[in-house]
Amino acid sequence: MAWTIQQGFEYQGNDWWKWWVWIDGPPEELDAIDHVIYTLHRTFPQPVRKTDDRLSGFKLSTSGWGVFTIYANLVHKDGGETELSHDLRTE
């Protein structure tokens, strides 16, 4: 499988960033995902977040001031799971 976590970001001022991540891969492989559970840094309110929005690539949008490793658990429609990680960057 060729899934990866991609990201975008936008500086808001005062060391604050909007950022978003999504799962990238071939359409037929994305279609095999039921939902994604993202785990953010423990200092976030609700650090574990779920999305099942296939049309957005299972996009998660939020904001913060620091960088950290984001973890994604891809839950497949057939019951399997795939773990991914991504080092958030803001530059």
Side-chain angles (χ1 to χ4, degrees), residues 40-49 62-63:
L40 310 178
H41 192 272
R42 69 181 185 283
T43 57
F44 273 81
Q46 299 175 320
V48 178
R49 303 184 188 185
T62 192
S63 61

Side-chain angles (χ1 to χ4, degrees), residues 26-47:
E28 62 278 0
E29 291 186 18
L30 290 173
D31 288 342
I33 300 171
D34 181 67
H35 63 275
V36 176
I37 300 172
Y38 291 101
T39 303
L40 310 178
H41 192 272
R42 69 181 185 283
T43 57
F44 273 81
Q46 299 175 320

